Amino acid sequence: MKMAKVFLIFSFVFLHLMSPICTLPLAPALYVFGDSLFDSGNNNFLPTFVRANFLPYGSDFANGCTGRFTNGRTIADFIAEYLGLPYSPPYLSSKGPSSLTGLNYASGSCGILPDTGSILGECLNFEEQINLFQRTIEKDLPQMLNNPTQLSKHLSEAIYLISIGSNDYINNYLEPMYYNTSKLYLPKTFAKLLISNLSQQFERLYKLGARKMIMFDIGPLGCLPSISRAHAHEGDCIEEINQIVSYFNERLPLLLRNMTSNLPTSTFVLGHANSLGYDAIKNPSTYGLIDTSNPCCTTWGNGTSECIPMSKPCMNPSKHFFWDGYHLTEAVYSIIAHRCIDDKSTCTPVNIQELVKM
């Protein structure tokens, strides 16, 4: 009887020692802003043509077709996993405002400028996303955090992930039939306009309590199948369009450095999605990729648009760069996210490992 009791105690201690150690998240919350590269389902609740709540979107995602514009996880999802946090739910979902571990305000087809993407339906531009974040701070978070000091600490230690600006070109400047911005602004002047607007919204985020912000630059839009094929450059990047986008990207580092210098205790990190993405397109084997010009899913308009509902995707999405005519595969998002986590050349001046310790 005594031997049985000793064995039982020993077994309990052994199992306790062998059980996984519970660790605290590296940050209290992850707040996500941007466009369809980060949208986790907000557009599902808006009157818009731009949605991804149907297969084959989400065909490799545990929760299925949630509204993510890819086959699996986004950059924001991979970073949430690293931080030890749940995926940030879309703000417009019924569960959104009750989350203490972060929210996703990103909205497909929208951008920095208010009218970007408007021809496709309703979406949340960057200013509107920050308006919703302000509402979260004023109405929702105080119900879950006991006092202003806790709220301030929560906001200052949270990570803010931003990817915005692509649609200001795709669904605005490069669409002269619907928008007159390319007639009103030269490429460099338009880039200055975007940077000026972006600066104002960053200052708003800071005043609301945000301190640790990661902003990704705009990817090589001239390489998108939706653009290259539409201009009869199938398989080739249109460098003239990449050059137009570069005027924005070239101004972004100075903006973020100035923000960090002028706003006390803030850190603005630049994510080099453009150079990393372009290198992967030109040197696919380095990244374990094979196809960097064709969409993985069958799309409308011969590869120039979104996936056709219920169509079968390619056999090996992990070997493809593009998921549809505009968006990347989970495999590429994984590369960008993990480089940002531990590589200071992809996310600078500090990577995410360092940012969470600041």
Side-chain angles (χ1 to χ4, degrees):
M1 188 70 175
K2 287 183 179 179
M3 287 297 295
K5 188 175 181 180
V6 171
F7 179 77
L8 184 63
I9 293 172
F10 176 79
S11 298
F12 175 79
V13 172
F14 179 78
L15 289 173
H16 175 72
L17 292 174
M18 291 299 292
S19 62
I21 299 173
C22 294
T23 57
L24 293 174
L26 299 176
L30 177 65
Y31 292 100
V32 182
F33 304 84
D35 49 34
S36 57
L37 298 179
F38 284 177
D39 190 347
S40 62
N42 281 308
N43 274 26
N44 296 348
F45 304 93
L46 297 171
T48 175
F49 290 108
V50 184
R51 291 184 181 177
N53 56 344
F54 54 86
L55 290 172
Y57 291 102
S59 55
D60 297 304
F61 190 63
N63 298 327
C65 44
T66 58
R68 288 165 169 80
F69 290 79
T70 183
N71 60 308
R73 290 163 288 181
T74 66
I75 292 172
D77 295 328
F78 284 110
I79 292 176
E81 290 178 355
Y82 168 73
L83 295 175
L85 296 170
Y87 300 144
S88 302
Y91 177 86
L92 296 183
S93 70
S94 58
K95 296 180 182 178
S98 64
S99 175
L100 189 59
T101 56
L103 288 165
N104 187 315
Y105 304 88
S107 178
S109 79
C110 253
I112 299 169
L113 300 180
D115 57 341
T116 290
S118 58
I119 60 171
L120 298 170
E122 186 179 337
C123 60
L124 305 172
N125 61 53
F126 195 30
E127 181 179 7
E128 291 172 326
Q129 292 177 32
I130 297 177
N131 289 344
L132 294 177
F133 176 60
Q134 182 172 351
R135 181 177 176 180
T136 299
I137 294 172
E138 294 174 351
K139 296 184 179 297
D140 301 320
L141 290 180
Q143 299 176 22
M144 296 176 278
L145 296 168
N146 294 331
N147 56 60
T149 302
Q150 281 191 341
L151 176 59
S152 177
K153 186 175 188 295
H154 172 88
L155 294 172
S156 65
E157 294 179 355
I159 302 296
Y160 300 82
L161 203 59
I162 305 150
S163 179
I164 196 95
S166 295
N167 287 315
D168 292 293
Y169 288 95
I170 297 173
N171 293 323
N172 193 325
Y173 195 76
L174 299 176
E175 285 285 356
M177 287 183 62
Y178 304 102
Y179 296 94
N180 64 352
T181 46
S182 61
K183 300 171 185 174
L184 296 175
Y185 302 99
L186 293 172
K188 290 184 179 181
T189 311
F190 184 68
K192 289 180 181 178
L193 174 68
L194 294 181
I195 290 292
S196 175
N197 278 264
L198 192 62
S199 174
Q200 295 174 26
Q201 300 309 323
F202 280 159
E203 288 186 14
R204 283 190 64 203
L205 275 175
Y206 176 82
K207 289 177 180 177
L208 289 170
R211 293 295 180 269
K212 300 179 180 182
M213 283 155 277
I214 304 167
M215 170 71 186
F216 287 93
D217 60 14
I218 300 175
L221 302 185
C223 302
L224 295 178
S226 59
I227 291 179
S228 63
R229 291 187 177 204
H231 292 80
H233 282 250
E234 185 171 345
D236 294 320
C237 296
I238 303 178
E239 299 303 339
E240 294 86 347
I241 291 178
N242 286 339
Q243 179 60 50
I244 291 174
V245 172
S246 74
Y247 295 129
F248 173 88
N249 286 342
E250 289 167 359
R251 286 166 171 76
L252 195 54
L254 179 59
L255 169 66
L256 300 183
R257 286 197 299 270
N258 287 342
M259 287 286 172
T260 301
S261 298
N262 298 329
L263 301 176
T265 70
S266 73
T267 303
F268 285 80
V269 175
L270 172 61
H272 292 281
N274 185 288
S275 57
L276 182 57
Y278 190 80
D279 188 57
I281 289 171
K282 295 300 181 181
N283 303 289
S285 61
T286 305
Y287 300 87
L289 302 172
I290 295 175
D291 191 322
T292 59
S293 59
N294 299 298
C296 176
C297 75
T298 304
T299 79
W300 304 106
N302 186 32
T304 62
S305 190
E306 294 185 353
C307 301
I308 296 175
M310 306 310 294
S311 60
K312 278 193 172 184
C314 62
M315 292 294 292
N316 296 305
S318 63
K319 299 298 181 183
H320 275 248
F321 187 92
F322 294 107
W323 171 248
D324 61 13
Y326 296 95
H327 307 99
L328 316 184
T329 60
E330 178 188 67
V332 179
Y333 288 142
S334 175
I335 293 169
I336 297 172
H338 287 98
R339 291 286 184 96
C340 187
I341 289 169
D342 56 29
D343 183 357
K344 287 179 67 171
S345 65
T346 298
C347 279
T348 184
V350 295
N351 57 36
I352 296 177
Q353 283 186 6
E354 297 166 322
L355 184 64
V356 297
K357 298 174 183 177
M358 297 177 70

